């Protein structure tokens, strides 16, 4: 169980790297663990980092009291969390470094001393090294793979700062339960069909496509709306919802079988055909 391993590692004082496809629940899991351990949750998006110092403070142009433009360092919420942790040692903080491999490797290098026994980070505003107190811990999240444009590999030295946990999509039953709780207006059997079709796409080795939980959520959101549930036949509503939520994520048109969207659509139709008891023809 990934959640149990995550909790055990956090309690052991480790920094953790979550590696999984988009929409596999990395952010949700990190928030849930923070709540369970009564830690204050600090979200930081690494995609906005261009220089190593951007983790702590960014250069911004602002007007001073005389209306003259000046360049100043503005502290990030990460820096504020450090200050809070130093001022309140009785509190525990979990810093979630989202999209960790969407900033340049050279920028990530600036964070390495914060993640090892050095436990320090450079503050560009003061020129000092800030201590990372023991009541702050880190979880970083990455998407690995050539399909993720704008990412870079995390080198062995950076990886060695973390205990790595691999995430996959949740089991079918778990995803159905999540969706059923969020979209009570949608019949559970319909949700099961949506998730079954999604898993058919995810597990197709020839296509190698990722289909996030956001896609199944969007499909259920449409299927739970009166414009779908009241104005269309169930099979037509399913086709429309899956064409938009699933195929719309890929280039091409569903009519073009050579395109990615067309290949996804073929898998959608095959998946729907497997549920003839629902009225599929």
């Amino acid at each position: 169980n990934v959640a149990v391993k995550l909790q055990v590692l956090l309690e052991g004082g480790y920094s953790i790297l979550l590696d999984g496809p988009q929409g596999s629940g990395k952010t949700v899991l990190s928030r849930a663990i923070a709540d369970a351990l009564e830690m204050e949750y600090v979200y930081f998006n690494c995609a906005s980092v261009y220089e190593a110092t951007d983790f702590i403070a960014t250069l911004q142009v602002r007007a001073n009291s005389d209306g003259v433009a000046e360049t100043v360092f503005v502290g990030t919420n990460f820096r504020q969390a450090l200050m809070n942790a130093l001022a309140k040692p009785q509190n525990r903080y979990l810093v979630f470094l989202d999209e960790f491999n969407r900033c340049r490797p050279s920028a990530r290098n600036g964070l390495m001393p914060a993640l090892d026994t050095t436990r320090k980070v450079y503050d560009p505003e003061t020129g000092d090294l800030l201590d990372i107190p023991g009541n702050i811990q880190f979880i970083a999240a990455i998407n690995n793979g050539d399909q993720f444009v704008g990412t870079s590999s995390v080198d062995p030295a950076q990886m060695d700062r973390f205990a790595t946990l691999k995430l996959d999509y949740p089991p079918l039953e778990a995803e159905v339960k999540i969706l059923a709780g969020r979209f009570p207006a949608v019949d559970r059997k319909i949700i099961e069909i949506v998730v079954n079709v999604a898993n058919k796409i995810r597990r197709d080795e020839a296509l190698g496509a990722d289909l996030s939980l956001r896609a199944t959520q969007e499909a259920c959101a449409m299927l739970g709306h009166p414009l779908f549930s009241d104005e269309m036949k169930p099979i037509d509503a399913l086709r429309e919802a899956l064409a938009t939520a699933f195929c719309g994520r890929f280039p091409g048109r569903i009519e073009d079988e050579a395109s990615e969207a067309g290949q996804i659509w073929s898998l959608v139709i095959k998946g729907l055909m497997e549920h003839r008891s629902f009225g599929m023809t």
Side-chain angles (χ1 to χ4, degrees):
N1 186 300
V2 174
V4 172
K5 292 177 182 178
L6 182 56
Q7 181 169 338
V8 169
L9 289 169
L10 278 176
E11 290 178 347
Y14 292 91
S15 297
I16 297 162
L17 185 73
L18 298 179
D19 181 357
Q22 75 270 25
S24 58
K26 297 185 289 295
T27 305
V28 172
L29 179 60
S30 66
R31 284 186 182 275
I33 290 297
D35 290 342
L37 297 179
E38 297 183 339
M39 303 176 75
E40 295 194 32
Y41 186 81
V42 181
Y43 177 89
F44 186 87
N45 188 351
C46 297
S48 62
V49 170
Y50 296 94
E51 304 293 339
T53 52
D54 289 347
F55 284 103
I56 299 301
T58 60
L59 275 174
Q60 298 184 20
V61 178
R62 291 185 172 181
N64 62 21
S65 58
D66 297 323
V68 179
E70 61 180 8
T71 303
V72 296
F73 277 108
V74 177
T76 64
N77 63 335
F78 180 12
R79 187 184 192 280
Q80 186 59 53
L82 295 182
M83 297 299 101
N84 292 342
L86 287 167
K88 301 176 181 178
Q90 72 277 11
N91 293 352
R92 298 174 64 202
Y93 296 80
L94 180 62
V95 178
F96 181 65
L97 303 168
D98 199 14
E99 307 285 3
F100 187 63
N101 61 335
R102 285 191 181 275
C103 61
R104 295 184 302 174
S106 59
R108 291 198 300 269
N109 287 338
L111 198 60
M112 289 175 69
L115 299 168
D116 59 23
T117 55
T118 307
R119 299 287 289 183
K120 292 181 182 293
V121 65
Y122 177 73
D123 184 355
E125 187 174 2
T126 63
D128 298 327
L129 289 174
L130 293 175
D131 289 321
I132 308 293
N135 55 334
I136 278 191
Q137 289 182 259
F138 299 93
I139 294 179
I142 63 173
N143 297 128
N144 262 332
D146 295 336
Q147 72 272 35
F148 297 110
V149 179
T151 63
S152 58
S153 61
V154 180
D155 68 44
Q158 293 172 346
M159 289 287 286
D160 193 51
R161 265 64 176 180
F162 296 96
T164 302
L165 292 178
K166 298 281 188 179
L167 268 69
D168 199 353
Y169 297 108
L172 188 149
E173 299 80 7
E175 188 170 356
V176 169
K177 184 178 180 180
I178 292 169
L179 294 171
R182 185 167 181 179
F183 303 99
V186 184
D187 187 282
R188 191 180 182 92
K189 292 182 179 179
I190 301 295
I191 293 176
E192 289 174 356
I193 293 173
V194 169
V195 176
N196 271 302
V197 173
N199 274 285
K200 191 175 189 69
I201 295 168
R202 293 164 180 163
R203 307 305 178 193
D204 189 278
E205 295 183 1
L207 189 58
D210 284 321
L211 195 67
S212 74
L213 270 68
R214 299 183 189 95
T216 55
Q217 290 172 1
E218 289 171 17
C220 289
M222 286 185 276
L223 291 166
H225 196 283
L227 289 177
F228 270 75
S229 58
D230 296 345
E231 301 298 327
M232 298 184 193
K233 295 179 180 179
I235 179 58
D236 294 333
L238 261 173
R239 287 174 179 268
E240 288 293 328
L242 299 187
T244 301
F246 289 8
C247 303
R249 282 175 150 71
F250 299 89
R253 301 179 63 84
I254 61 175
E255 298 86 0
D256 180 5
E257 296 183 358
S259 70
E260 288 187 51
Q263 295 174 58
I264 295 294
W265 183 241
S266 296
L267 291 175
V268 168
I269 295 301
K270 289 178 181 178
L272 293 178
M273 289 293 290
E274 293 173 0
H275 295 274
R276 293 183 180 180
S277 60
F278 178 67
M280 305 302 164
T281 58

